[in-house]
Amino acid sequence: MKTVLVINAGSSSLKYQLIDIETEAVLAKGLCERIGIDGKLTYQPTGGEKFQKEAPMPTHQQAIELVLAVLTDAKIGVIKDMADVAAVGHRVLHGGPNFTASALIDDKCIAAIEEVIPLGPLHNPANLMGIHACRAAMPDTPQVAVFDTAWGMSMAQKTFQYALPYEVYTEHFVRRYGFHGTSHMFVTGEAIKRLGREGDPDVKIITCHLGNGSSVSCSKGGKCVDTSMGLTPLEGLPMGTRCGSIDPAIVPFLMDKMHLSIKEMDTLMNKKSGMLGISGVSSDFRDLWAASKAGNDRATLALEMFAQGVKRYIGSYFAELNGADCIVFTAGVGENDWAMREMIMQDMDALGVDFDFEKNRTAPRGEECVLSKPESKIRVMVLPTNEELAIARDTAAIAL
Ligand code: AMP
């Protein structure tokens, strides 16, 4: 059996998934938590019983060694030995200007990821810890880095450039990169397959990744043309706790009025804004709908602002692409929240969308589904995202 181990390393956690690359089946998945504190391993073999154990994990390397031990365990493991792991795929947040696609990890690649730590100060160091841990535990197994920013690297300069002094771009690499790239890439590829338009350079797709973090992206011929997140994931839509795009002059204005430090202003925009900040209730859409139904006007306002934001991006991307063949909803809200999809798709007929509101209401949660009427010029679909599978596919394509 040939498998790919997919790793998503955080500063004190490590998510993993083992995928059979021939059948694309998930053999097992799980999580190491509280790395460097005390340590807890969760392991879920597909079709088997969930297994949890407290185990000391002072570093990411011990965590990965525990994962390999449980995957190859004689009783509960899903592979015979380490040789069954043909390659490891790592999720890496920021590739900066260096990476336009996934890359085989070697010393040069690691140095390039280190170079852009200032652009992803929370995630890149943690992703690197996962890479170093796997290289130490599996020195002979090829490793691949899959960048969340790579999708956005096909944007034209007029699209990714901010209208700041040009040197800000050349000296500090400040440009629009975009995030959720692996998800946008995956659902775009799946949508193109469903449309039967593989290899067509003119196929135009708008993808709405709506979850706790949200972004909208558009593509032509499967390549990103524009995306709503920017240098950081703060730009674009209002999100669970992020404000999204605002007048940049608000930043110095509030820092002055509220006597905020840079860090406090950053926290206000990233952690206290968005759905949570507007509603005062929650960042979770389920809580917001419940509060809205109970008469909370601010919860209703937050939901309306979110829908309005998505509608704006769909409209502007429609103009940018000069049309669209398909609009895709994905991620937690996009896949599960029919009421939000309904709000977004209201009054879109001028674009050529004939949305089936009835079908949308009864669509099974989290499952692939076509939500436009057969006569609609633009197909609207729910396509569940699968970033781990996208990472496994890229890893196999590069390393094997
Ligand atoms: P994600 O970041 O993609 O994991 O999405 C998480 C978000 O999806 C949660 O914060 C919820 O707001 C939302 N969500 C998940 N399930 C539902 C549901 N059944 N109805 C409405 N929102 C949901």
Side-chain angles (χ1 to χ4, degrees):
M1 188 191 302
K2 264 192 182 171
T3 68
V4 169
L5 180 61
V6 176
I7 299 287
N8 184 359
S11 58
S12 67
S13 69
L14 185 148
K15 279 192 216 150
Y16 63 92
Q17 225 177 75
L18 189 72
I19 297 177
D20 181 329
I21 49 170
E22 264 122 48
T23 62
E24 299 198 330
V26 177
L27 302 177
K29 59 182 170 185
L31 171 70
C32 295
E33 292 168 274
R34 299 175 62 83
I35 301 170
I37 307 165
D38 37 24
K40 181 175 165 193
L41 171 80
T42 305
Y43 169 71
Q44 174 72 68
T46 302
E49 243 174 70
K50 192 172 180 176
F51 168 85
Q52 284 186 316
K53 92 170 175 185
E54 314 275 326
M57 303 173 191
T59 68
H60 284 66
Q61 195 176 330
Q62 276 94 9
I64 195 71
E65 278 164 6
L66 282 165
V67 170
L68 295 175
V70 76
L71 287 171
T72 53
D73 184 86
K75 265 200 198 143
I76 59 170
V78 287
I79 48 174
K80 265 201 247 99
D81 56 55
M82 281 284 306
D84 289 337
V85 180
V88 183
H90 293 269
R91 181 181 196 164
V92 180
L93 179 85
H94 220 303
N98 302 322
F99 295 100
T100 55
S102 305
L104 194 67
I105 295 175
D106 54 16
D107 292 344
K108 221 172 115 202
C109 171
I110 289 177
I113 298 171
E114 279 169 351
E115 199 185 311
V116 294
I117 285 177
L119 297 176
L122 298 180
H123 293 83
N124 273 31
N127 300 153
L128 281 165
M129 281 196 264
I131 290 171
H132 288 304
C134 289
R135 283 185 113 200
M138 295 173 270
D140 300 325
T141 312
Q143 322 247 341
V144 170
V146 179
F147 300 95
D148 231 18
T149 49
W151 167 253
M153 296 308 283
S154 55
M155 282 187 281
Q157 188 167 4
K158 66 180 177 187
T159 309
F160 72 65
Q161 186 81 29
Y162 291 114
L164 290 163
Y166 199 78
E167 298 69 35
V168 164
Y169 165 55
T170 51
E171 286 170 25
H172 302 288
F173 311 116
V174 171
R175 53 158 280 175
R176 177 172 295 111
Y177 291 96
F179 296 85
H180 296 141
T182 314
S183 175
H184 287 297
M185 178 184 76
F186 179 80
V187 293
T188 299
E190 294 300 301
I192 291 172
K193 278 189 220 161
R194 302 303 181 274
L195 295 172
R197 307 269 300 266
E198 291 107 316
D200 182 344
D202 291 324
V203 61
K204 299 163 182 172
I205 316 276
I206 298 174
T207 45
C208 308
H209 177 111
L210 312 179
N212 193 32
S214 296
S215 60
V216 185
S217 187
C218 66
S219 61
K220 197 170 172 200
K223 296 238 177 306
C224 173
V225 170
D226 203 348
T227 195
S228 63
M229 284 177 166
L231 172 74
T232 76
L234 187 56
E235 190 178 346
L237 293 168
M239 307 177 210
T241 62
R242 298 186 194 128
C243 60
S245 295
I246 56 170
D247 180 346
I250 293 170
V251 177
F253 178 82
L254 280 187
M255 287 176 78
D256 182 39
K257 286 276 172 227
M258 295 169 71
H259 310 293
L260 301 176
S261 66
I262 293 174
K263 198 155 179 254
E264 286 165 337
M265 188 64 214
D266 194 58
T267 304
L268 183 141
M269 293 187 293
N270 274 293
K271 304 256 190 252
K272 298 182 180 174
S273 297
M275 301 294 101
L276 174 67
I278 296 294
S279 68
V281 173
S282 171
S283 61
D284 192 299
F285 282 67
R286 288 161 288 199
D287 301 338
L288 293 172
W289 284 113
S292 171
K293 279 193 191 103
N296 185 320
D297 291 341
R298 280 173 51 185
T300 307
L301 175 64
L303 291 163
E304 287 174 352
M305 285 173 65
F306 184 81
Q308 175 75 356
V310 179
K311 197 184 254 298
R312 270 185 191 150
Y313 274 107
I314 291 175
S316 78
Y317 288 168
F318 191 87
E320 218 171 318
L321 295 173
N322 190 18
D325 297 300
C326 185
I327 298 171
V328 178
F329 286 102
T330 196
V333 175
E335 292 169 29
N336 296 296
D337 191 341
W338 66 264
M340 179 47 67
R341 292 194 304 256
E342 180 174 296
M343 228 184 205
I344 295 165
M345 297 313 291
Q346 292 286 346
D347 303 322
M348 288 270 202
D349 42 314
L351 295 185
V353 181
D354 199 346
F355 191 65
D356 192 334
F357 287 92
E358 204 41 55
K359 195 171 176 197
N360 178 54
R361 276 171 185 253
T362 51
R365 284 204 171 121
E367 281 181 31
E368 179 172 336
C369 190
V370 176
L371 298 177
S372 47
K373 294 191 180 157
E375 58 273 25
S376 179
K377 268 201 255 166
I378 301 176
R379 195 186 293 189
V380 183
M381 299 186 78
V382 170
L383 282 174
T385 194
N386 192 338
E387 290 167 86
E388 289 78 12
L389 179 56
I391 292 172
R393 282 180 183 170
D394 256 21
T395 301
I398 287 177
L400 306 178

